[in-house]
Amino acid sequence: LQRCCYNLKTIKTPVIVHGKNKTMFSKIGMFAFILVLYLNSANGNDGRNSSDNLLEKRLYKARMELWSRGSNLCDIDPHKGYTPEEQVNIFESTMTWSSLRLGPVRKVRRHFLRQNECIETNCLLKKIRGGAMLSEVDSSRSSDTYSDLLKKKIQQLGLQFGQEFIVAIEKNEIEHKHDCEVSCETYYCAPKTSNNDNNWDSSIQKNGTSFINYSFGATPPEDFFEEFGFPLDLIKVTQDKPLFSTEEAANVIRIAKAEGVEHNEYRSGKYQLGGDWLTNLPKTREWFNIKLKTTLFPLMKYLFPEIVSSPSVLRAHSVSLLKYNTSHPRTDVHVDNGILAMTLAMTPQNEYVGGGTFFEHMGVDNVLAMDVGHGTFRPGSVRHGGHKVTDGIRYILGAFLLIEDRVEHVRRLKNRGSEIRRKGNLERAAKHFEWALAINPKCTTCLKDWAEILLTQKKYDEAEVKIREVLTLLEEKDSDALFSLGVILSEAGKDEASIDAYTRSVKLNAEDAELCYNLGIKLGAKGDKKGEMAMYHKATTLDPKLGGAWLNWGTALAEGGNFNDAEVMFLKAMECTEVAAKAMLNLGHVYQNKAERLAAQGNLMAAKDMATKAGDLLDSGKGMLDAMLASGSCGDDDRRYAAQFGPLRLQCYRIMGSIYAGMKDFVSSEIQFRRATERFPNIKGAWEMLARILEVQGKTGEALIARNQLNKI
């Protein structure tokens, strides 16, 4: 028996994982072990089902995930001109492209005062937040309001960018008006008469309720940014006396449970969450609407007087009740799809362990924990997430808000650009990001989205410039941007710099499974097998369903000759649907190797059983790959991987035929080699094997026919 040689050749292969092009290195040869490539299909499903019920479930889960990530698409109902199947594809594609990744955790930033610095040259408000009087504002500056200045700026940009920009701005205003009107159909909207406004009674603070302010980070909110003076202490958390009692919160949860909130779950990025929209929980919504009227809207006016002129202009845009537990522990870091947002704690802290809200510019020791009845209030564009719950159950109520008399042009241009990108018009999408940045040059999410387009267009230098600008604005403390930088540098062939970017990202956010996975790939390509496998171990610990990490880990073990442990990794990978077919091919090759070793030791029966298992796995994996190819749901990597089936399966026929020959069962040996020629009639090796076994049996005529066929190839 010939030994299977690991003749390793390195091939650079780009793959798309969660919307980001990542470079992997597959090591393949004729009978070599295949480095399995991680594929996350665009839909998270290998097949399609036309059933209305299935479409409805897929659409619902996708919308809930997008809501948890702050996406605008979950609020578009229905998509004009789209079929239900197209709607599902758009939502699920959005999840794939989403760049709202789990961000870094750092120590709390010191509050600082920049008395002589404005956000832009034409800064209107040169005031200090938290107590400055209007008389303290520099009176030598223009008396125009921010709205006046914004209108003038948009008019100037209209002259610069032309009619297409003007149309986009008008569309923003139309959509904003529509969203505000839809909100009032479901959620409380205060009468516009100022006399009917409920005002937050600051004397309540004297009775025990107070607020603590936290830094918003290095950059201001994306919209109305010039309205917020320094320091940006825009994250407000209630302290001491809660906004509502423990008993009141418990009753709300009882009502929500009766309405079925416990029976729903959906995926939020890497995590499963429980919960539902309040539009589907009418009794729960009744309580929330009362709180909007009596407490929450007046409170938002009190906390953010710079942009909220009256409680009557506030609109609840999207509201959800979320459930966290050990199986649904946390959310990804995300931004909210509204100028303002709130999180209300609905469960006593003694009923769970962990929890709270964390922000990527703060450290893990500074998670903002809230007991029942307390809330966090903030502008929506700060990156944040639900901290992990390790025991018990935690409910929170989250809401995104709009302001009727203020159109968020930056957010809407950015969101529309993302939608246009999903439809494949990259140039037009880039224009929208450029327009948004013309209004607010510090819109970091706009820069990130634009960089992704440039990456797709293989304009690596330009993409790198955009991402490095993000890192400068965010003081190098954004693991998402560092991750993207690593991808861009990898695609540009700057491997050392790519590894450095990934490594810095891991230091900021060690709980990002995909990041650890990507760094493992780069370390493996560099030859650092120990570091590579350590990253795969970390990735699979964080996300046991990250099939690519199990596969690459198994491959690294097999390359080192540790086939027993490699087998365990490939069995784990087979549990991950998106890579199961590839895991079968890899595991089949492991069994081929074991069969050869057993045969060399003289244990032919055990070798035959092992080789049979190898063949069955290869055939099963090929069937799954063929189904993916036929459905059109595969990528270039799947096609490249499927092309390796032939050499692997031919090797399996050779092993089986040789084992039967060693057992003196020449008839069975001939059957194996004939099957090889029938399945691979254009492969010389198959006819060579058949000719040899026919010659051993003295069938010279048939052997001559086989050799003649070989010579025709």
Side-chain angles (χ1 to χ4, degrees):
L1 297 176
Q2 296 180 358
R3 308 291 286 169
C4 180
C5 174
Y6 285 80
N7 178 25
L8 302 177
K9 298 180 181 178
T10 301
I11 295 179
K12 188 176 181 182
T13 310
V15 211
I16 292 179
V17 182
H18 289 293
K20 297 180 173 61
N21 293 319
K22 307 180 180 183
T23 301
M24 307 181 178
F25 290 81
S26 58
K27 300 179 178 179
I28 63 175
M30 177 62 73
F31 301 123
F33 211 94
I34 299 176
L35 175 60
V36 177
L37 307 173
Y38 175 55
L39 171 70
N40 187 351
S41 67
N43 299 317
N45 296 288
D46 290 333
R48 289 284 181 269
N49 190 318
S50 60
S51 164
D52 291 340
N53 186 46
L54 180 57
L55 280 175
E56 190 174 311
K57 289 181 179 179
R58 284 171 53 200
L59 181 62
Y60 187 82
K61 289 184 178 180
R63 285 165 62 89
M64 284 300 290
E65 170 169 358
L66 292 172
W67 185 93
S68 74
R69 292 172 162 204
S71 173
N72 65 307
L73 277 180
C74 61
D75 303 308
I76 300 176
D77 188 16
H79 270 279
K80 295 181 180 179
Y82 292 124
T83 66
E85 177 74 17
E86 288 172 334
Q87 288 186 48
V88 171
N89 290 340
I90 288 173
F91 282 123
E92 293 178 337
S93 177
T94 301
M95 292 187 291
T96 300
W97 278 96
S98 175
S99 61
L100 306 179
R101 294 167 46 77
L102 184 63
V105 282
R106 303 282 286 177
K107 291 184 178 179
V108 171
R109 294 167 47 79
R110 294 192 303 274
H111 286 198
F112 54 90
L113 177 63
R114 303 179 184 178
Q115 293 184 349
N116 298 317
E117 180 179 349
C118 287
I119 298 172
E120 282 193 340
T121 305
N122 296 326
C123 180
L124 168 66
L125 299 178
K126 194 176 179 182
K127 65 183 182 182
I128 302 171
R129 284 187 50 80
M133 303 299 292
L134 290 179
S135 60
E136 296 176 293
V137 181
D138 189 347
S139 60
S140 64
R141 294 191 173 269
S142 169
S143 61
D144 288 343
T145 66
Y146 174 76
S147 296
D148 293 333
L149 293 176
L150 180 60
K151 288 179 181 179
K152 289 180 180 179
K153 187 170 188 178
I154 288 175
Q155 288 173 354
Q156 293 172 353
L157 293 175
L159 295 174
Q160 176 182 344
F161 294 118
Q163 185 63 27
E164 192 175 5
F165 172 80
I166 296 172
V167 170
I169 292 297
E170 291 174 348
K171 189 172 183 180
N172 288 349
E173 294 170 350
I174 293 171
E175 290 180 351
H176 176 78
K177 181 179 179 181
H178 175 264
D179 288 345
C180 289
E181 290 174 351
V182 170
S183 171
C184 292
E185 295 173 2
T186 305
Y187 297 104
Y188 170 76
C189 292
K192 292 186 178 181
T193 305
S194 60
N195 294 334
N196 293 328
D197 280 350
N198 286 291
N199 295 313
W200 172 260
D201 185 358
S202 60
S203 66
I204 293 178
Q205 296 183 66
K206 298 178 182 178
N207 297 327
T209 300
S210 60
F211 302 88
I212 184 169
N213 302 339
Y214 293 89
S215 169
F216 191 78
T219 58
E222 290 180 350
D223 279 286
F224 320 126
F225 56 97
E226 288 185 343
E227 296 273 40
F228 298 102
F230 282 96
L232 295 173
D233 53 344
L234 303 178
I235 300 172
K236 317 284 189 176
V237 184
T238 59
Q239 301 290 307
D240 304 319
K241 186 176 180 179
L243 300 174
F244 47 89
S245 68
T246 302
E247 294 74 21
E248 187 176 357
N251 187 54
V252 172
I253 298 303
R254 280 194 294 271
I255 293 171
K257 288 180 178 179
E259 293 183 298
V261 72
E262 283 193 307
H263 305 303
N264 183 58
E265 69 174 21
Y266 63 98
R267 188 165 182 82
S268 174
K270 309 175 188 68
Y271 308 104
Q272 288 290 122
L273 288 181
D276 208 343
W277 283 298
L278 259 63
T279 51
N280 298 324
L281 307 173
K283 294 295 184 182
T284 308
R285 190 171 70 247
E286 287 180 8
W287 171 84
F288 181 67
N289 278 332
I290 293 172
K291 284 298 174 185
L292 287 178
K293 178 179 180 179
T294 62
T295 305
L296 299 174
F297 279 173
L299 176 57
M300 296 302 279
K301 165 66 173 70
Y302 173 79
L303 294 175
F304 301 101
E306 305 92 336
I307 61 172
V308 182
S309 60
S310 164
S312 64
V313 300
L314 290 169
R315 300 290 181 264
H317 188 220
S318 298
V319 189
S320 181
L321 183 66
L322 300 181
K323 174 186 176 182
Y324 297 81
N325 56 20
T326 53
S327 61
H328 307 78
R330 63 184 301 171
T331 68
D332 275 339
V333 170
H334 59 280
V335 297
D336 292 335
N337 193 46
I339 179 58
L340 295 173
M342 67 177 76
T343 301
L344 304 177
M346 306 299 294
T347 308
Q349 284 183 303
N350 60 11
E351 294 185 8
Y352 59 87
V353 178
T357 305
F358 66 94
F359 298 82
E360 69 177 4
H361 62 281
M362 296 184 183
V364 66
D365 294 332
N366 291 285
V367 172
L368 303 185
M370 298 182 295
D371 205 349
V372 63
H374 285 283
T376 298
F377 307 89
R378 59 194 177 270
S381 60
V382 63
R383 285 174 58 83
H384 65 284
H387 193 57
K388 181 190 297 184
V389 169
T390 58
D391 190 28
I393 297 175
R394 176 187 181 229
Y395 281 95
I396 66 100
L397 190 151
F400 309 158
L401 306 181
L402 302 178
I403 303 176
E404 185 188 35
D405 57 358
R406 289 178 179 266
V407 181
E408 299 164 66
H409 288 296
V410 175
R411 179 177 66 86
R412 290 185 179 276
L413 287 171
K414 178 190 65 178
N415 288 345
R416 193 175 305 119
S418 298
E419 182 178 353
I420 293 170
R421 183 181 67 177
R422 282 188 295 273
K423 296 178 180 179
N425 193 337
L426 301 185
E427 294 295 339
R428 186 161 175 260
K431 283 185 179 181
H432 281 71
F433 300 139
E434 181 183 6
W435 297 339
L437 284 162
I439 298 175
N440 178 8
K442 296 187 178 184
C443 176
T444 55
T445 55
C446 301
L447 288 166
K448 290 178 185 179
D449 287 344
W450 197 350
E452 283 192 7
I453 287 179
L454 293 168
L455 176 62
T456 302
Q457 296 171 328
K458 300 185 179 180
K459 298 178 180 179
Y460 304 128
D461 291 342
E462 296 178 51
E464 182 180 346
V465 169
K466 300 295 183 190
I467 287 297
R468 289 197 183 278
E469 187 175 350
V470 172
L471 288 168
T472 298
L473 289 170
L474 297 176
E475 300 179 341
E476 303 288 325
K477 294 179 180 179
D478 186 336
S479 69
D480 179 18
L482 285 168
F483 176 90
S484 298
L485 178 62
V487 172
I488 292 166
L489 293 170
S490 180
E491 289 296 309
K494 303 176 182 179
D495 290 336
E496 290 295 330
S498 173
I499 290 174
D500 175 69
Y502 284 142
T503 302
R504 285 194 289 151
S505 187
V506 167
K507 288 180 180 179
L508 288 177
N509 178 22
E511 293 194 0
D512 188 325
E514 290 176 10
L515 176 57
C516 294
Y517 168 60
N518 259 30
L519 180 57
I521 292 168
K522 301 303 294 184
L523 292 174
K526 188 180 178 181
D528 182 0
K529 294 296 181 184
K530 184 176 180 180
E532 176 190 15
M533 289 191 284
M535 285 294 104
Y536 295 148
H537 177 264
K538 195 165 191 175
T540 53
T541 300
L542 293 167
D543 183 3
K545 293 299 183 181
L546 187 53
W550 291 115
L551 284 162
N552 285 7
W553 193 358
T555 299
L557 289 166
E559 287 175 347
N562 187 348
F563 294 103
N564 289 332
D565 287 345
E567 178 182 359
V568 174
M569 302 308 165
F570 293 138
L571 287 170
K572 287 283 190 181
M574 285 174 59
E575 298 175 6
C576 305
T577 304
E578 75 276 7
V579 296
K582 299 171 185 177
M584 289 178 180
L585 266 64
N586 272 26
L587 186 56
H589 196 56
V590 166
Y591 288 159
Q592 284 182 358
N593 186 277
K594 287 188 173 185
E596 288 189 313
R597 291 190 175 190
L598 288 167
Q601 295 167 6
N603 191 347
L604 297 183
M605 288 300 297
K608 180 173 73 70
D609 292 340
M610 190 63 68
T612 300
K613 289 172 63 177
D616 292 342
L617 278 169
L618 292 173
D619 289 338
S620 296
K622 179 59 162 55
M624 293 175 66
L625 286 171
D626 287 344
M628 293 170 64
L629 288 168
S631 68
S633 62
C634 64
D636 292 340
D637 297 301
D638 296 271
R639 286 184 282 271
R640 188 179 299 111
Y641 201 86
Q644 296 304 309
F645 169 78
L648 288 172
R649 194 61 179 92
L650 190 62
Q651 174 79 334
C652 200
Y653 283 124
R654 181 194 65 78
I655 294 171
M656 285 291 291
S658 299
I659 290 172
Y660 279 122
M663 299 170 69
K664 307 300 182 183
D665 186 352
F666 298 119
V667 173
S668 296
S669 179
E670 179 183 339
I671 290 173
Q672 291 296 317
F673 294 141
R674 285 195 181 278
R675 287 176 179 171
T677 60
E678 292 167 0
R679 201 161 184 179
F680 306 102
N682 296 319
I683 302 298
K684 288 185 175 183
W687 292 103
E688 176 68 29
M689 292 187 295
L690 178 59
R692 287 186 179 183
I693 195 63
L694 290 171
E695 290 168 350
V696 168
Q697 296 178 84
K699 300 179 179 180
T700 55
E702 293 180 59
L704 182 59
I705 294 173
R707 291 198 177 278
N708 287 337
Q709 186 64 36
L710 184 154
N711 293 330
K712 292 179 182 179
I713 300 175

